[in-house]
Amino acid sequence: MNYTLNQLQIFVKVVQTSSITKAAEELNLTQPAVSIQIKNFQAQFEIPLLEIIGKKIYVTDFGKEIAASAEGILEQVYAINYKTMAFKDQLIGRLKVSIVSTGKYVLPYYLSDFLKANPGVEISIDVTNRGKVIESLEQNEVDFSLVSDQLESTQFDFIDILKNELVLVGNTETAAMNPSFDYNTFKHELPLIFRESGSGTRKIMESYLKKQGVSSLKRIELMSNEAVKQAVMAGLGYSIMPLIGIKREIKDGYLAIIPREGLPITTDWKLIWHKEKKPSPVAKAFMNFVLENNERIKQSFFN
């Protein structure tokens, strides 16, 4: 066997995400680079690790055993790194965060200086929808989560870090049509484009439309804000989207805001954690960093 730690890390991430594309995004690699490393890793085993059926990745029983062993190896490597940093009297450990998909436009600005000041800290970020984000906190799988709507449970503490505005958008051509979304005429208009069930943006969008008396809709449902954005730019329909993720497209003229009563909808980005979870030294340090630097970060990057 001649596999590398890099191959182990990539294989574990592919198993966790069941996707080459998602693994590449989370590892900040290109999709071809991930595919090549998986191919080279597989070449060292006579038994298949992964199976691709209908463009979907399935992990074989043998692959699951190899993934479990690989995780153990990587944990040992992390432990060695942590001990090395500890002798240098530096903060060490891993910070696990789950975020809603639009959170990728927010969290990096809160991590950048923190990681520069603490090179012994490693970050694990799971990007998913709101339902799974909350579930990861309840299952004690992460230290923090980042969401952008109201909390329904009292089992979490939080820090309000940033305002989040949601607006109705279309591309420049469809926005000029000024859709009514009236029940009697909506069947003749372009559809509304929604996120999947469990999405915080979807929840906010449905609540707004209900208040406007729009209950019977033609709709398209997509699994990410990026997919929704591309569909709206292509002229497939309209959507209510977080402004933070579409500023450049509005500035460049690919998208246009459609004024409506009750819009924009303003919520708060919240860094949340379970009240009963005892924070690790790394988690406590990050919490303090956010509290001390939130205003500076807002003024520097989100003013």
Side-chain angles (χ1 to χ4, degrees):
M1 294 293 177
N2 193 31
Y3 47 76
T4 66
L5 290 174
N6 186 44
Q7 288 173 344
L8 292 178
Q9 184 181 34
I10 290 173
F11 177 66
V12 167
K13 185 59 67 175
V14 169
V15 170
Q16 290 173 345
T17 60
S18 297
S19 168
I20 296 290
T21 301
K22 290 182 180 178
E25 290 176 356
E26 293 189 19
L27 293 170
N28 292 318
L29 298 172
T30 64
Q31 186 173 333
V34 171
S35 297
I36 290 171
Q37 291 301 323
I38 290 296
K39 181 179 180 181
N40 292 340
F41 187 59
Q42 173 65 79
Q44 300 179 67
F45 301 92
E46 296 181 2
I47 304 173
L49 302 171
L50 304 170
E51 293 177 337
I52 300 178
I53 302 175
K55 295 185 179 180
K56 189 172 181 179
I57 292 178
Y58 296 89
V59 186
T60 66
D61 289 341
F62 179 66
K64 291 176 183 177
E65 292 188 13
I66 296 300
S69 297
E71 288 180 355
I73 293 171
L74 291 171
E75 287 296 335
Q76 291 298 317
V77 172
Y78 295 145
I80 292 172
N81 291 339
Y82 296 160
K83 290 176 182 178
T84 301
M85 300 303 293
F87 274 102
K88 297 180 180 180
D89 197 27
Q90 295 185 23
L91 183 66
I92 56 173
R94 185 183 296 184
L95 188 70
K96 296 182 179 180
V97 187
S98 60
I99 65 174
V100 295
S101 59
T102 320
K104 63 179 177 285
Y105 300 109
V106 177
L107 186 63
Y109 296 98
Y110 286 84
L111 289 175
S112 179
D113 286 348
F114 178 73
L115 291 177
K116 289 176 183 176
N118 301 284
V121 173
E122 296 183 355
I123 303 292
S124 174
I125 302 174
D126 181 27
V127 183
T128 183
N129 65 35
R130 185 188 186 278
K132 293 181 179 178
V133 162
I134 297 299
E135 182 181 338
S136 68
L137 270 185
E138 294 173 338
Q139 298 296 322
N140 196 31
E141 296 172 348
V142 296
D143 299 297
F144 298 103
S145 292
L146 185 66
V147 297
S148 60
D149 60 343
Q150 294 298 319
L151 295 176
E152 299 169 353
S153 173
T154 59
Q155 62 184 325
F156 305 123
D157 276 333
F158 63 90
I159 302 170
D160 283 331
I161 61 174
L162 191 67
K163 293 295 181 183
N164 182 42
E165 291 187 339
L166 293 95
V167 293
L168 177 66
V169 292
N171 70 12
T172 51
E173 182 179 347
T174 57
M177 296 178 184
N178 195 27
S180 66
F181 300 140
D182 179 80
Y183 176 78
N184 295 317
T185 62
F186 192 74
K187 62 183 179 180
H188 302 298
E189 295 178 346
L190 291 170
L192 284 166
I193 303 173
F194 285 76
R195 285 287 308 277
E196 78 286 359
S197 295
S199 161
T201 300
R202 160 109 171 222
K203 181 181 176 183
I204 293 170
M205 185 172 174
E206 288 181 331
S207 176
Y208 169 77
L209 292 171
K210 185 177 180 179
K211 291 178 181 177
Q212 302 303 310
V214 181
S215 57
S216 182
L217 307 171
K218 293 191 299 181
R219 66 171 62 191
I220 297 174
E221 184 175 296
L222 298 173
M223 296 298 291
S224 71
N225 276 331
E226 185 62 30
V228 171
K229 179 168 66 177
Q230 294 298 327
V232 174
M233 286 195 296
L236 293 182
Y238 309 93
S239 191
I240 292 177
M241 301 190 68
L243 183 60
I244 197 170
I246 55 175
K247 286 182 178 179
R248 181 174 295 277
E249 287 76 15
I250 291 173
K251 180 179 178 181
D252 292 343
Y254 296 111
L255 291 175
I257 296 175
I258 304 170
R260 276 293 180 276
E261 181 182 354
L263 294 174
I265 300 166
T266 301
T267 62
D268 291 296
W269 283 105
K270 300 177 184 293
L271 186 71
I272 65 177
W273 62 92
H274 203 291
K275 287 181 177 179
E276 297 181 3
K277 183 177 177 65
K278 183 179 180 180
S280 68
V282 170
K284 191 170 183 179
F286 182 64
M287 190 187 306
N288 290 335
F289 174 85
V290 172
L291 287 169
E292 294 170 4
N293 293 275
N294 189 38
E295 289 303 318
R296 176 183 63 82
I297 293 171
K298 284 197 294 186
Q299 291 298 319
S300 297
F301 301 106
F302 301 103
N303 189 12

